[in-house]
Amino acid sequence: MKISRTPALASLVLASALTLAACGDDSDSGHDGHEGHDMADMTGMTTEDADDGDMGDMHDHAMDGGEAPAGIEDAVNPMYPVGTEVTVLADHMEGMEGATGTVTGAYSTTAYAVSYTPTDGGAPVSDHRWVVQEELENPGDAPLADGTEVTLAADHMSGMGGATATIDSSTQETVYMVDITTDDGMTMTNHKWVTESELAPADAE
């Protein structure tokens, strides 16, 4: 007697199709499970930070700021002399606001908030605070007007040196380098820069 193989073959094809469909569902599910885990999340930032244009500004700021730039003048009788313990009010980086710090330098200069596109292909940076007059290439007389295009000589972050930037705003208050320790234990040495209005005495409530 001849047995037809058609039903068995059809069952095999159907089972294979179901298996493939299940695999496809697993793959989709895994992808959905990672939705939203973009670079902003991996660097400890929120997606809102990235949308605000702050992502490039915060993701790789140097932990050791190094020496002050050549030509910068020490401030005379600064509110916070070198060695003073302070509370940081600035929020340039996640965890900075409210952190404790020790002043390592106090300078009389013009500080600028700038927007620029890194030379290493990184995301555009908006309103980076701060670069000082001495960290600009052939800037002319300070203070430079908002909207002025300048070339950065600072190296606070990857891709900053040599980048073309636009000045967003400026301030001529005393500017400080500060060793900062955040609540989560992160330490920054000679952080550049924090302005006088972004600091408070360490015992301030």
Side-chain angles (χ1 to χ4, degrees):
M1 179 175 66
K2 186 176 181 180
I3 299 175
S4 173
R5 298 175 182 264
T6 302
L9 181 59
S11 297
L12 179 61
V13 170
L14 179 60
S16 298
L18 290 173
T19 301
L20 289 173
C23 290
D25 287 343
D26 287 343
S27 174
D28 291 342
S29 177
H31 175 76
D32 291 341
H34 288 283
E35 246 177 10
H37 290 268
D38 54 17
M39 187 176 292
D41 295 321
M42 288 188 284
T43 55
M45 295 174 57
T46 65
T47 304
E48 182 179 355
D49 290 330
D51 291 342
D52 287 344
D54 294 333
M55 185 173 134
D57 194 26
M58 298 174 69
H59 77 283
D60 67 344
H61 205 291
M63 292 297 100
D64 184 352
E67 300 297 320
I72 196 168
E73 295 183 3
D74 289 338
V76 177
N77 297 321
M79 180 179 292
Y80 304 107
V82 171
T84 304
E85 292 189 359
V86 292
T87 298
V88 179
L89 306 179
D91 59 355
H92 306 166
M93 298 174 63
E94 186 174 1
M96 177 182 282
E97 187 173 10
T100 58
T102 302
V103 172
T104 58
Y107 305 96
S108 178
T109 185
T110 301
Y112 300 96
V114 296
S115 294
Y116 67 97
T117 298
T119 59
D120 61 0
V125 176
S126 297
D127 200 35
H128 172 83
R129 302 187 183 193
W130 303 89
V131 295
V132 296
Q133 180 81 5
E134 292 75 14
E135 294 176 317
L136 305 178
E137 294 185 6
N138 304 314
D141 295 334
L144 300 176
D146 295 357
T148 300
E149 191 172 277
V150 294
T151 300
L152 303 178
D155 58 358
H156 307 172
M157 291 168 46
S158 172
M160 176 179 275
T164 299
T166 301
I167 292 174
D168 298 319
S169 62
S170 63
T171 180
Q172 290 183 274
E173 60 194 298
T174 302
V175 177
Y176 297 86
M177 287 196 309
V178 185
D179 288 350
I180 299 172
T181 301
T182 63
D183 288 341
D184 61 4
M186 181 178 69
T187 299
M188 293 176 281
T189 304
N190 285 351
H191 177 78
K192 299 186 178 78
W193 301 92
V194 184
T195 61
E196 192 158 279
S197 61
E198 294 174 325
L199 296 176
D203 57 357
E205 294 183 359

